[in-house]
Amino acid sequence: MEQKVVAPAEAGIMKKVVAHAKEYGFVFPSSEIYDGLAAVYDYGQMGVELKNNIKTVWYKAMTQLNDNIVGIDAAIFMHPLTWKASGHVDGFSDPMIDNKDSKKRYRADVLVEEHAAALEAAGKKDEGDALVKKLARLLEANDLKAVQDLIIQTGIKCPVSGTANWTEVRQFNLMFSTQVGSVAEDTSLIYLRPETAQGIFVNFLNVQKTGRMKIPFGIAQIGKAFRNEIVARQFTFRMREFEQMEMQFFIRPGTEMEWYNKWKEVRMKWHQALGLPTNKLRFHDHEKLAHYANAAVDIEFEFPFGFKEMEGIHSRTDFDLGNHQELSKKKQQYFDNDIDEATGKPYGNYVPYVVETSVGADRCFLAVLCNAYTEEVSGEGEQQKERTYLKLHPALAPIKAAILPITKKDGLPEKAMEIYNELKYDVKVTYEDKDSIGKRYTRNDLIGTPFCIAVDHQTLEDNTVTIRHRDSMEQERVAISDLRVKIRKATSWKSILEKL
Ligand code: GAP
């Protein structure tokens, strides 16, 4: 049957993905019964499976495919000096401006960039480009008064009040702070970590020594990070509480470009292996480097709202370890006894350089979900049928197989439960016997279950079942004894990892 897939870039697709995510238990607004909390989301029963699968495949790609990369799980709270050393106390801020009439707060740079995009859309690309360049110059010089003047002179208005009655521009630190200590006098200000990377840096020597690691080696970590984002929108793309999957690769100074290029390539392949199409992924070199980097690139994905950053790969030099060494007064050095060919002597002591790969689990989740969301029309005229399903990689799908007896009698449920009990130790499966088989197929399509296993009367006679495949809707007859191997193979981590 000919099937026409509706391109996800079509208007309104983002709205549909958000509604779908809520309706089928992937993502809920946080504390929804109190009308939610902006830019905070909860993962539901399907979402947590999909997100965990993405995290697992990242962790395995890092720590199982590389014998020189190990994992850690550092605490969210860290000594406050950590964030002084990392530069976050002094430099992790966004320029903000308030509209005095609507009392709404905006990121000043985003206001200007959106105005530039509107100019481009109106055929005035050069004007828009000039505006963005001017903004970059002013921000580089930290001339916030001039940024305010630029907003006013350009005639940028608040989308809510429609006025240009703006406050001055101020830098707003994105770190959330809280107190530790049980009594007021004992309290001291600490931060919720804005990146997981620093938990890796401060454990560099612990891991290197206890694991007898030799450079080059990496430390990988998955964990929560928190940022008080001013412009919080686009669903799980920009959240105030989110998860990062970060890996710091410790190397000999001078080898950073070699490793930077290698990790760029490896990480791009990982995204492709998840099933994200090559033409929806691209590199975007940073023009303005972060305070810690000497080379930086983003891997961008084409979300329904355009190409946006999903992962950052940064050559961070010895910035972090060097600063921790200075502030903590503890040496963060490594003794390299490999022979330097140029001098004929060991490389000796040095503070290692670092190449970092940092991907947001929630952004990756969103990319996978948007890419999987498929609306399909098949047939002609009166026979025309529409179908929505999630075309997820089988290894990422929340449920790998649904076991469905075609009726609730004649011993079919018992036989189906036998199959369920056999498979459940290997893969996540469900058993369903309510509603027609067609409705159950539809429900499973909507959550991306790759295999529906129908148990019918023939099953009782010859121990075979029908597998109905999600994407093609084709059906095949299979012996129960072959099911386990077949489903495990199609949904295995290897099916992704072997592409790396
Ligand atoms: N350690 C480096 C670092 O944190 P970053 O570019 O600020 O670099 C890395 O963040 C990744 O974390 C981003 O590419 C993105 O995927 C994710 N991320 C950052 N802020 C986020 C937010 N507010 N919501 C969701 N994901 C976010």
Side-chain angles (χ1 to χ4, degrees):
M1 189 174 353
E2 207 198 317
Q3 294 159 354
K4 179 178 170 258
V5 175
V6 180
E10 280 178 17
I13 201 75
M14 194 58 208
K15 265 192 179 161
K16 288 184 181 179
V17 170
V18 174
H20 192 95
K22 177 157 183 242
E23 188 160 355
Y24 298 101
F26 284 85
V27 181
F28 307 126
S30 158
S31 34
E32 197 187 6
I33 58 169
Y34 297 103
D35 296 333
L37 183 65
V40 186
Y41 292 94
D42 297 337
Y43 285 84
Q45 68 280 14
M46 292 301 150
V48 70
E49 298 293 336
L50 174 55
K51 192 177 175 196
N52 280 345
N53 290 339
I54 292 171
K55 290 194 289 186
T56 302
V57 86
W58 180 87
Y59 196 74
K60 283 184 184 291
M62 286 296 174
T63 63
Q64 230 170 275
L65 298 194
N66 300 285
D67 64 2
N68 60 349
I69 300 183
V70 293
I72 61 163
D73 182 12
I76 286 170
F77 292 139
M78 298 184 72
H79 192 287
L81 283 180
T82 309
W83 306 111
K84 187 79 190 152
S86 69
H88 285 82
V89 169
D90 300 317
F92 193 53
S93 48
D94 281 339
M96 290 161 20
I97 190 165
D98 292 8
N99 183 269
K100 291 181 192 165
D101 299 318
S102 67
K103 311 275 186 268
K104 290 272 172 206
R105 179 164 290 172
Y106 300 92
R107 259 177 66 174
D109 53 338
V110 172
L111 274 183
V112 176
E113 279 161 12
E114 284 181 350
H115 189 76
L119 285 173
E120 186 178 341
K124 298 178 183 169
K125 186 173 180 320
D126 290 350
E127 212 179 306
D129 288 350
L131 194 60
V132 170
K133 280 205 178 113
K134 185 161 184 193
L135 172 75
R137 271 201 313 277
L138 298 178
L139 288 175
E140 184 75 36
N142 201 23
D143 190 346
L144 299 183
K145 174 74 183 76
V147 175
Q148 182 200 22
D149 291 345
L150 183 70
I151 288 174
I152 292 169
Q153 283 157 16
T154 315
I156 297 175
K157 299 205 171 80
C158 165
V160 177
S161 67
T163 70
N165 194 6
W166 297 109
T167 62
E168 74 272 26
V169 178
R170 282 164 294 147
Q171 288 291 0
F172 180 80
N173 195 294
L174 297 185
M175 283 196 293
F176 284 104
S177 60
T178 186
Q179 259 107 38
V180 278
S182 52
V183 282
E185 299 88 86
D186 285 339
T187 60
S188 98
L189 190 72
I190 57 165
Y191 299 100
L192 299 189
R193 65 182 178 196
E195 62 171 12
T196 59
Q198 297 305 323
I200 295 179
F201 286 121
V202 299
N203 279 298
F204 155 68
L205 277 183
N206 283 338
V207 173
Q208 191 271 317
K209 288 195 169 131
T210 58
R212 290 177 289 120
M213 309 297 289
K214 254 181 87 68
I215 270 179
F217 74 91
I219 305 179
Q221 173 172 222
I222 300 177
K224 289 263 174 153
F226 304 83
R227 295 181 189 179
N228 198 359
E229 300 281 1
I230 300 158
V231 183
R233 60 178 174 208
Q234 285 150 341
F235 202 36
T236 66
F237 182 81
R238 196 177 297 283
M239 296 156 83
R240 297 205 164 108
E241 174 182 341
F242 57 98
E243 255 182 304
Q244 289 185 316
M245 307 189 283
E246 299 202 296
M247 194 279 296
Q248 314 299 130
F249 201 68
F250 298 92
I251 52 175
R252 187 181 297 147
T255 61
E256 66 269 25
M257 288 321 289
E258 183 194 318
W259 285 110
Y260 173 75
N261 288 325
K262 176 176 160 38
W263 280 110
K264 264 178 76 171
E265 191 193 316
V266 171
R267 292 303 305 146
M268 180 59 102
K269 265 197 194 160
W270 183 84
H271 292 285
Q272 290 164 353
L274 296 192
L276 299 178
T278 310
N279 65 346
K280 285 183 164 238
L281 289 163
R282 70 178 188 196
F283 288 117
H284 177 247
D285 286 312
H286 285 208
E287 277 152 34
K288 183 174 173 261
L289 293 174
H291 56 276
Y292 50 74
N294 72 352
V297 68
D298 291 337
I299 294 180
E300 294 186 335
F301 175 73
E302 190 178 19
F303 292 93
F305 41 87
F307 270 103
K308 298 276 176 206
E309 172 188 347
M310 184 156 57
E311 168 153 3
I313 297 157
H314 311 118
S315 168
R316 290 180 81 128
T317 67
D318 58 357
F319 175 87
D320 305 84
L321 288 180
N323 283 357
H324 285 306
Q325 172 167 280
E326 206 177 308
L327 232 71
S328 67
K329 313 262 184 299
K330 310 265 174 10
K331 282 215 160 73
Q332 298 297 308
Q333 293 185 354
Y334 170 82
F335 185 79
D336 190 338
N337 50 21
D338 281 1
I339 301 297
D340 177 353
E341 278 178 15
T343 63
K345 292 183 185 150
Y347 284 98
N349 267 317
Y350 55 78
V351 176
Y353 270 31
V354 168
V355 169
E356 165 188 75
T357 72
S358 173
V359 56
D362 312 273
R363 284 193 191 175
C364 201
F365 171 96
L366 185 59
V368 166
L369 190 64
C370 289
N371 189 58
Y373 183 87
T374 310
E375 292 178 348
E376 199 174 77
V377 180
S378 58
E380 298 282 324
E382 300 224 325
Q383 302 299 313
Q384 196 172 71
K385 285 198 186 110
E386 285 174 23
R387 180 169 82 110
T388 300
Y389 66 105
L390 294 185
K391 201 172 184 169
L392 292 167
H393 190 296
L396 299 182
I399 310 285
K400 310 302 184 207
I403 322 295
L404 315 171
I406 59 160
T407 71
K408 275 207 245 180
K409 45 187 200 226
D410 304 334
L412 297 187
E414 290 77 5
K415 189 72 185 169
M417 274 312 283
E418 254 177 50
I419 298 171
Y420 169 84
N421 283 324
E422 168 72 15
L423 294 178
K424 73 180 180 190
Y425 298 104
D426 289 298
V427 286
K428 177 96 181 147
V429 281
T430 52
Y431 168 89
E432 282 184 56
D433 58 16
K434 288 195 187 64
D435 299 323
S436 70
I437 191 85
K439 275 195 182 152
R440 283 180 273 164
Y441 285 158
T442 302
R443 275 207 296 271
N444 277 287
D445 282 350
L446 290 163
I447 58 170
T449 307
F451 305 109
C452 283
I453 298 168
V455 177
D456 54 22
H457 292 91
Q458 191 185 331
T459 309
L460 300 179
E461 286 161 23
D462 63 4
N463 273 319
T464 61
V465 287
T466 300
I467 297 187
R468 184 259 194 188
H469 296 264
R470 176 197 65 202
D471 300 351
S472 63
M473 294 188 287
E474 272 165 19
Q475 308 204 355
E476 62 169 326
R477 202 75 196 171
V478 173
I480 293 175
S481 54
D482 293 339
L483 267 183
R484 198 169 143 261
V485 169
K486 200 173 169 71
I487 291 174
R488 268 185 66 156
K489 186 162 183 260
T491 63
S492 68
W493 301 122
K494 191 176 172 197
S495 64
I496 294 182
L497 295 174
E498 71 187 356
K499 296 194 185 122
L500 297 178

